[in-house]
Amino acid sequence: MRFVLVGPPGSGKGTQAERLVSEFGLSYIGTGVLLRDAIARGTDTGKHVEPLLKQGLLAPDPLVNGVVAELFSGPGRPMCFVMDGYPRTRSQAVAFDSLLHQQRLPLDAVINLTIPDDEVVKRIGGRRCCPNPRCGACYNINHLPPATEGTCDRCGTALILRDDDKEETIRRRLEEFHKNTDSLLSHYRSQKLVRDVSATDPVDVIFDNIIAAVRGNR
Ligand code: AMP
């Protein structure tokens, strides 16, 4: 199975991606995680994107397309996957279509997680992520807390409120999201791939609705 997850920051995309990974044995491909890893490793890509991420702005399409294309090159390329945060623009979707076409890996569905902006702003204040580049797990103190307050369940690192999760940044990220997502979704709607799922329900209900939508039950 091959999915793209679309949703604003705070819609629970990362959480649902993780569940899809464990339910279907998929590879997880999160461009936010990949870019933050590049920053942590101090690569040229990392140096280029660091100020953009800090301001809540998107990295340039050719750069992100290159990062994803590299992942799909070579013998260890993912065959079944969930994309978290890519493609984010119509131009990225066009580049990804052509990459997947070359690789003969057609998408099964684009899951569009829907949530009002005000709800996003409320939720995001509770988000805490693991700064360990080899982990990157995210929690929410309101609805998905770690077992021990302030500590990552997976690797024990102290959790942080990321710069790009701060309120001023989140408002800019929402603006960017709306600016790009209409044309992204209409691109995929024309391919009849989009499944709209409300992201305001409890995590388990959202997951069940995603599965039902993917299987064509709703
Ligand atoms: P995320 O963890 O998916 O919310 O991504 C964090 C940040 O990484 C975003 O605010 C962007 O600055 C950058 N980013 C992640 N994915 C992309 C993408 N597909 N295109 C451009 N920038 C991206």
Side-chain angles (χ1 to χ4, degrees):
M1 290 214 151
R2 290 178 280 276
F3 300 118
V4 169
L5 271 182
V6 177
S11 61
K13 250 186 320 142
T15 306
Q16 297 300 332
E18 267 179 36
R19 296 216 170 178
L20 288 165
V21 164
S22 55
E23 179 87 357
F24 298 111
L26 309 177
S27 298
Y28 171 84
I29 303 174
T31 41
V33 174
L34 292 170
L35 296 176
R36 278 190 291 277
D37 179 49
I39 293 171
R41 287 186 294 118
T43 65
D44 287 347
T45 298
K47 285 181 192 137
H48 192 82
V49 299
E50 187 169 16
L52 299 171
L53 259 80
K54 280 209 169 123
Q55 292 171 71
L57 299 171
L58 290 189
D61 288 338
L63 183 146
V64 189
N65 291 337
V67 168
V68 172
E70 199 184 315
L71 212 69
F72 278 87
S73 66
R77 73 198 174 122
M79 305 290 284
C80 294
F81 52 80
V82 54
M83 304 300 300
D84 175 10
Y86 179 93
R88 247 182 169 92
T89 63
R90 187 178 182 282
S91 142
Q92 291 180 11
V94 170
F96 195 47
D97 281 356
S98 114
L99 179 73
L100 294 181
H101 183 72
Q102 273 169 23
Q103 307 260 345
R104 296 192 170 75
L105 298 173
L107 286 175
D108 292 294
V110 173
I111 297 151
N112 178 34
L113 293 175
T114 60
I115 180 168
D117 282 2
D118 285 350
E119 179 65 23
V120 168
V121 170
K122 205 167 79 189
R123 272 187 188 189
I124 216 84
R127 189 155 152 175
R128 300 291 180 273
C129 292
C130 177
N132 174 357
R134 284 175 299 283
C135 178
C138 285
Y139 305 83
N140 193 296
I141 54 174
N142 303 314
H143 61 86
L144 194 71
T148 309
E149 198 185 320
T151 305
C152 181
D153 289 350
R154 287 196 197 155
C155 70
T157 304
L159 301 173
I160 58 162
L161 177 64
R162 298 187 323 203
D163 277 348
D164 54 354
D165 285 342
K166 290 182 177 153
E167 178 161 350
E168 187 193 323
T169 316
I170 197 71
R171 296 228 175 250
R172 208 175 299 133
R173 291 173 74 196
L174 278 169
E175 252 176 57
E176 286 265 346
F177 175 78
H178 292 302
K179 205 170 72 192
N180 293 309
T181 306
D182 285 357
S183 56
L184 175 71
L185 288 174
S186 62
H187 174 82
Y188 282 129
R189 281 193 205 285
S190 72
Q191 299 178 28
K192 304 207 178 333
L193 285 171
V194 180
R195 312 281 179 270
D196 296 304
V197 176
S198 167
T200 52
D201 292 314
V203 172
D204 290 341
V205 175
I206 300 170
F207 185 69
D208 290 346
N209 288 340
I210 289 176
I211 302 299
V214 165
R215 295 192 168 140
N217 300 334
R218 56 188 285 283

